[in-house]
Amino acid sequence: MKSYLRRTFIAVFLLIFSHIALFSYDLTFRFEPLALAPFMSAGETKWDPVGAGGMLSMGIDLFGLVNVGTMAGYLYVPKNNNSELLPDEAKFVSVIPVGLQTSLTFYPFARLELGLGGAMGYGIAQNGSMSHFAPWYRGFAEAGFRFNPKWTLGLGGSYFAYQNTSWFGQPGIAGITAGVSLKLHLETKKKSFGSGTVVCTAEIPDSLFPLFYTMYKENPFGTIQIKNNESAEIRNVSVSFKAKGYTASELECGHISNIRKGKTKELQLVADFSKEILRFTEAGKIPGEIIVTYELLGQKKESVSSIIIPVYNRNQMRWTDPQAISAYISASAPEVLEFSKVLVGLARSHLRSGVNRNLQFAMYVFEGMRLAGIRNIDDFETPYYLYHTDDSLVDHIQYPYQTMFYRAGDKDEMAILFMALLESVGIKAAYIPLENDFLVLINTGIDGDKADRFFDGEDRILEFENQIWVPISMKMIQEGFINSWHNGARDLTKLIMDDADLSIVFLEEAWQIYPSAGFTSNENVSVSADEKRLVAACEVDLARYVSTEFGPKIKEAQDILKTEGATAENYNQLGILYVRAGMYTEASSVYQKSAALGNVAAMNNLGNIASLQKNFLEAKKWYEKALATDPKNASARKNLERVLGELE
């Protein structure tokens, strides 16, 4: 028997240490004093109600959940039939079970450890001078209190069966055990850098674009790997990121309820970057910190890991989405506001009330850029025609202040400045990147059902959601507003007829996805256009607009006068066209002819023209004449009250 036991224990220890050498996993040693109630022994009544003993198990932790190893022990089971003992029998039986065990461990709370497992093997029962070899098996469960990651004190119970001859059938000794247990967890791995804490690394597939700095708060730019190198599982794990000098706040990247010892979990990397990131004029790197707060067996701890974030310079982007261009367009940049204020101020002082206001403002902005010497020049390093069609290339695009400072830009850069100026004065813009041009669409604010009042046909306009837009070509800026408009409309019409794939981007919608970076500069980028030349250029534009869009309508109305007669209504219709074209002198002439024939509408319109020209006495005369002819005319009465107020 002694020889058998010696060989058994040697085999057990060799098995344990071979596991350690091969795998270097964490080890668990468990010592369990226990009491045995053998009342489930089949057909046997010779045992006392209670026996005693202990079990020792040694195992390797796998996956932080499973423990596999060996189990051995000693059980002392007294007999209650001493009067029937044979001469070579003892008053008790000693059982030495040896075998393999496996168990599952759970940690529902920080200090609570639950275990469930089983074991089986072969054992020897010693009854005086007699020995008996037979299989045994055991199923057990326990609950323990974790003093620290190494020591756990628990209470447990099990079903134990030592067989007579076979694994199942007539057990010689079987029953329920109960006892306490003391468990020791040991680490056998060699400590590496970062052991004993929580270590974070980050995988960032591409450099960051400072242009989109506000988007990284909601859109991940990398992945964080959080590895638990603590001596036990960690709970309530909160992960955040900050980069001193480049983030507005420490932003939480996510929360993880539990990370088992030695395991790694992932979170998306987000950051609340500040405008300081726009200071990168060249590609560079940002030092950042990943802060992990967590609980280890109820104790709050913190771990900080350093990472490096690569960034492009502030002017770079990829054309993966045409809407991304909107991030360059800042309507509130000081340079933009200063320039547009001057241009539109000049437009207001020369405004023709009959001509669409947005169209006139756009003329002054466009011609102001041209006369300020801002020219369309192809970028030879990152040309628009090449880079905007290949989203694998990183393009370099100027902000509005840079185009103003350099007095030059590629087609897309000219469009960015033009749209910034338009939006700064309340004119909505959209754009269409073409193969070798960049069209800016201007929202005139004219309802679709009223387009025929301002345009001769639909060849030079677009309608979206009952709003009329006009397309302006950026490659034609040196040719003036009207030429840029007509060329842009012609090219766009051809593409539409050819069923080309066009990307129409409405700036207001694009800003919802790509907010304006709002980048400005402290450099002196003031630009100006000669006032006389600007007014003269815009007057030419207006004359061409009137000739193109109203000329055919005016001629048609004049022909009607000749063919259908000089009636009051025909004169009035011609006068309306003159007013819409801003031709007030001509309008007054035909309105007077209509008024002479008794047309109340013509009298009212003459009053309106006089009112627009601040000639309130003349306006009062015509409104009174209209009311004398038609005392119930509400429009004339309202206008008269307004003029009387002005005269007072």
Side-chain angles (χ1 to χ4, degrees):
M1 175 182 174
K2 290 182 178 180
S3 175
Y4 167 78
L5 292 177
R6 187 183 304 112
R7 290 195 302 271
T8 300
F9 280 108
I10 289 173
V12 168
F13 281 109
L14 286 176
L15 182 61
I16 290 293
F17 285 109
S18 66
H19 285 321
I20 298 172
L22 289 174
F23 301 103
S24 295
Y25 288 125
D26 292 348
L27 295 178
T28 300
F29 294 87
R30 181 171 172 274
F31 175 63
E32 180 187 9
L34 54 80
L36 169 65
F39 65 91
M40 302 178 74
S41 304
E44 297 287 346
T45 58
K46 62 181 180 180
W47 310 113
D48 273 354
V50 179
M55 302 292 284
L56 175 65
S57 62
M58 296 171 283
I60 305 165
D61 288 333
L62 302 175
F63 318 115
L65 177 67
V66 181
N67 185 273
V68 177
T70 57
M71 179 176 284
Y74 175 80
L75 296 175
Y76 173 85
V77 186
K79 299 178 181 179
N80 65 5
N81 58 347
N82 292 334
S83 60
E84 302 175 5
L85 295 177
L86 299 175
D88 56 349
E89 284 189 288
K91 295 181 180 180
F92 62 88
V93 171
S94 298
V95 180
I96 302 176
V98 176
L100 301 176
Q101 64 86 22
T102 183
S103 63
L104 299 175
T105 306
F106 308 94
Y107 303 97
F109 303 104
R111 295 283 182 178
L112 178 62
E113 180 180 307
L114 300 178
L116 185 68
M120 62 174 54
Y122 234 77
I124 180 172
Q126 188 70 28
N127 182 10
S129 60
M130 296 183 294
S131 299
H132 177 68
F133 295 90
W136 65 276
Y137 50 87
R138 184 188 187 206
F140 57 88
E142 65 178 346
F145 178 81
R146 305 166 77 190
F147 291 99
N148 54 49
K150 286 188 176 181
W151 293 98
T152 301
L153 180 65
L155 296 174
S158 72
Y159 169 75
F160 176 83
Y162 180 79
Q163 298 295 304
N164 277 329
T165 55
S166 63
W167 284 99
F168 302 98
Q170 299 292 320
I173 301 173
I176 302 299
T177 73
V180 297
S181 64
L182 184 64
K183 186 182 291 186
L184 172 64
H185 301 270
L186 291 179
E187 296 183 20
T188 63
K189 279 187 177 180
K190 184 179 179 181
K191 293 288 184 180
S192 59
F193 177 77
S195 295
T197 183
V198 174
V199 178
C200 291
T201 57
E203 182 179 339
I204 304 172
D206 193 10
S207 297
L208 272 64
F209 292 99
L211 175 69
F212 306 132
Y213 75 95
T214 59
M215 298 177 60
Y216 294 122
K217 193 172 182 178
E218 303 291 339
N219 299 275
F221 58 90
T223 305
I224 305 172
Q225 292 82 36
I226 308 104
K227 184 173 183 182
N228 177 14
N229 284 335
E230 287 284 12
S231 51
E233 85 283 352
I234 58 176
R235 298 172 182 272
N236 297 324
V237 183
S238 179
V239 182
S240 58
F241 173 82
K242 68 177 181 179
K244 187 176 181 181
Y246 294 101
T247 50
S249 66
E250 182 180 312
L251 183 65
E252 184 177 32
C253 300
H255 187 273
I256 302 172
S257 60
N258 184 304
I259 305 178
R260 298 187 68 86
K261 175 184 173 183
K263 299 300 178 182
T264 299
K265 288 196 175 182
E266 291 187 351
L267 285 175
Q268 297 297 305
L269 178 57
V270 292
D272 181 19
F273 288 112
S274 68
K275 279 191 174 182
E276 287 302 310
I277 197 174
L278 290 169
R279 298 297 171 186
F280 277 86
T281 57
E282 300 292 339
K285 295 180 179 180
I286 293 177
E289 292 181 338
I290 299 175
I291 302 96
V292 183
T293 59
Y294 57 95
E295 294 179 4
L296 177 66
L297 295 182
Q299 179 184 1
K300 292 185 177 180
K301 301 185 72 175
E302 181 179 280
S303 176
V304 179
S305 300
S306 298
I307 63 170
I308 297 295
I309 298 176
V311 295
Y312 291 110
N313 75 56
R314 64 193 179 201
N315 289 94
Q316 291 182 301
M317 64 155 275
R318 283 196 182 91
W319 285 83
T320 52
D321 184 356
Q323 295 184 99
I325 283 290
S326 65
Y328 286 99
I329 304 168
S330 174
S332 59
E335 303 88 356
V336 170
L337 290 171
E338 182 181 351
F339 193 28
S340 66
K341 180 181 178 182
V342 172
L343 298 176
V344 173
L346 196 56
R348 285 194 175 98
S349 64
H350 294 83
L351 198 64
R352 295 192 187 185
S353 60
V355 180
N356 177 255
R357 170 184 173 276
N358 285 3
L359 206 56
Q360 292 183 76
F361 284 179
M363 287 178 184
Y364 272 83
V365 169
F366 189 91
E367 298 293 0
M369 287 174 56
R370 180 176 68 85
L371 294 174
I374 301 174
R375 298 178 299 158
N376 170 36
I377 298 177
D378 289 337
D379 186 339
F380 293 105
E381 292 186 3
T382 58
Y384 165 76
Y385 74 88
L386 176 63
Y387 274 68
H388 91 282
T389 58
D390 189 344
D391 59 16
S392 68
L393 300 176
V394 179
D395 199 1
H396 182 283
I397 298 177
Q398 295 174 172
Y399 291 89
Y401 88 91
Q402 291 173 311
T403 303
M404 294 169 68
F405 181 79
Y406 296 121
R407 303 289 200 279
D410 211 335
K411 301 170 190 66
D412 50 351
E413 294 160 341
M414 299 296 288
I416 288 169
L417 174 58
F418 185 40
M419 288 188 283
L421 292 167
L422 291 174
E423 290 281 347
S424 72
V425 295
I427 300 175
K428 294 180 180 179
Y431 57 91
I432 305 175
L434 301 182
E435 184 176 352
N436 197 31
D437 198 358
F438 198 106
L439 300 185
V440 172
L441 307 184
I442 301 168
N443 187 342
T444 63
I446 299 170
D447 292 340
D449 57 357
K450 297 177 182 177
D452 61 342
R453 298 184 184 182
F454 300 90
F455 304 99
D456 183 33
E458 301 178 353
D459 293 343
R460 290 176 291 276
I461 59 174
L462 294 173
E463 182 179 344
F464 297 109
E465 296 183 355
N466 198 37
Q467 290 284 290
I468 299 301
W469 302 67
V470 296
I472 309 297
S473 166
M474 287 295 102
K475 72 178 180 181
M476 299 291 293
I477 187 168
Q478 273 74 38
E479 302 297 323
F481 182 85
I482 297 297
N483 285 342
S484 294
W485 172 12
H486 292 178
N487 277 274
R490 184 190 63 242
D491 293 345
L492 185 57
T493 300
K494 184 177 184 304
L495 290 169
I496 293 173
M497 294 296 292
D498 293 341
D499 199 23
D501 185 15
L502 299 175
S503 297
I504 303 176
V505 180
F506 295 92
L507 197 52
E508 194 172 42
E509 296 176 2
W511 271 333
Q512 302 301 314
I513 305 171
Y514 299 94
S516 171
F519 185 62
T520 183
S521 169
N522 295 323
E523 301 174 50
N524 181 14
V525 294
S526 178
V527 295
S528 61
D530 182 79
E531 181 176 336
K532 290 183 179 179
R533 291 181 63 202
L534 178 55
V535 172
C538 291
E539 286 299 321
V540 171
D541 287 337
L542 285 167
R544 292 187 62 188
Y545 164 69
V546 168
S547 174
T548 303
E549 305 301 336
F550 290 95
K553 294 177 181 291
I554 290 172
K555 186 178 184 305
E556 182 182 351
Q558 291 172 336
D559 290 341
I560 290 174
L561 275 170
K562 293 177 182 178
T563 58
E564 296 183 7
T567 66
E569 181 61 28
N570 288 341
Y571 277 126
N572 193 58
Q573 289 300 317
L574 180 58
I576 290 173
L577 290 173
Y578 281 137
V579 168
R580 289 174 182 171
M583 302 168 68
Y584 301 124
T585 301
E586 292 83 353
S588 294
S589 176
V590 295
Y591 276 145
Q592 287 176 8
K593 293 177 181 179
S594 180
L597 295 173
N599 191 301
V600 174
M603 299 174 192
N604 200 32
N605 287 332
L606 283 166
N608 292 339
I609 292 174
S611 180
L612 286 171
Q613 295 173 338
K614 307 296 183 184
N615 189 348
F616 298 118
L617 287 174
E618 180 73 9
K620 175 176 176 291
K621 182 189 77 172
W622 283 110
Y623 293 141
E624 288 176 342
K625 191 169 184 178
L627 287 171
T629 306
D630 180 10
K632 295 182 179 180
N633 192 295
S635 177
R637 186 171 300 282
K638 182 178 179 182
N639 289 332
L640 178 60
E641 291 174 358
R642 176 176 53 80
V643 166
L644 291 174
E646 292 287 347
L647 289 171
E648 290 177 1

